[in-house]
Amino acid sequence: MNKVMSRTARSRPRHRPPTRRDSRRPGGAPPRTPSRPAATRADRQAAQPAVEARTAPREAVPQPRPTDLFADRLLAVLSGRRPVHWMLGYTAGRAYDDLARLAEHGPLRTHGTRPVVHDIGYYVPSEGALEVFARIAAGDRLRAMAFRLELGQDLRWRCTAVETGTT
């Protein structure tokens, strides 16, 4: 026995606008169907192997050296792009006062090309201390900046002295 359905199509709810029946346009995207059945969290955890030996180990993201970070920070302050108090937590001793005095004169401020750190070098006078020099390039001019970093008890680097090559 073949059963024939004689039921008419359901009417659409009245709170929804009717669908567009324009023959000049495509009917739209086909309905989305998942490519595989949805799995629960427990199913996914059970399916994963206990040891993931097949995946390559993630490479560690290289951390910038403290010399590079401080050179960029000091350049931003001495060129006038950042206020002096931006370095308050990164300085120790008289370095903040020296930095404030230097920033008043804006020794690395330029009217054209923005200054950038061209080259950095450092010397290790003792364990937990770095004496750093940086060459600052702005257009065709090359300037100098020197600073000292010391490692604190909390294992954070702090700037303890700042000098620039300008008078």
Side-chain angles (χ1 to χ4, degrees), residues 15-162:
H15 65 277
R16 191 190 253 177
T19 57
R20 184 174 176 156
R21 302 279 184 211
D22 191 353
S23 62
R24 295 174 292 162
R25 301 218 178 214
R32 297 178 78 192
T33 56
S35 60
R36 55 188 160 150
T40 63
R41 176 182 268 173
D43 293 341
R44 283 181 285 188
Q45 287 177 349
Q48 289 180 350
V51 177
E52 296 181 13
R54 294 182 201 158
T55 59
R58 290 186 181 180
E59 291 183 24
V61 177
Q63 296 294 322
R65 293 179 291 189
T67 56
D68 300 344
L69 291 174
F70 275 89
D72 289 335
R73 286 180 169 275
L74 289 169
L75 176 61
V77 170
L78 294 174
S79 65
R81 287 186 288 153
R82 291 285 188 165
V84 179
H85 68 266
W86 189 55
M87 289 292 294
L88 193 56
Y90 299 100
T91 56
R94 293 183 40 196
Y96 183 77
D97 297 331
D98 294 342
L99 184 61
R101 198 172 308 112
L102 281 171
E104 283 179 13
H105 303 294
L108 300 178
R109 192 171 291 160
T110 59
H111 293 290
T113 311
R114 175 183 264 181
V116 293
V117 177
H118 186 275
D119 189 22
I120 295 178
Y122 63 93
Y123 171 71
V124 183
S126 64
E127 188 176 330
L130 297 172
E131 292 181 355
V132 185
F133 66 89
R135 293 182 186 103
I136 309 299
D140 58 349
R141 291 192 70 183
L142 199 61
R143 297 176 182 177
M145 176 175 65
F147 54 96
R148 180 179 171 93
L149 299 177
E150 291 183 7
L151 191 62
Q153 299 254 340
D154 58 354
L155 301 179
R156 290 179 52 198
W157 289 98
R158 288 189 177 79
C159 181
T160 56
V162 181

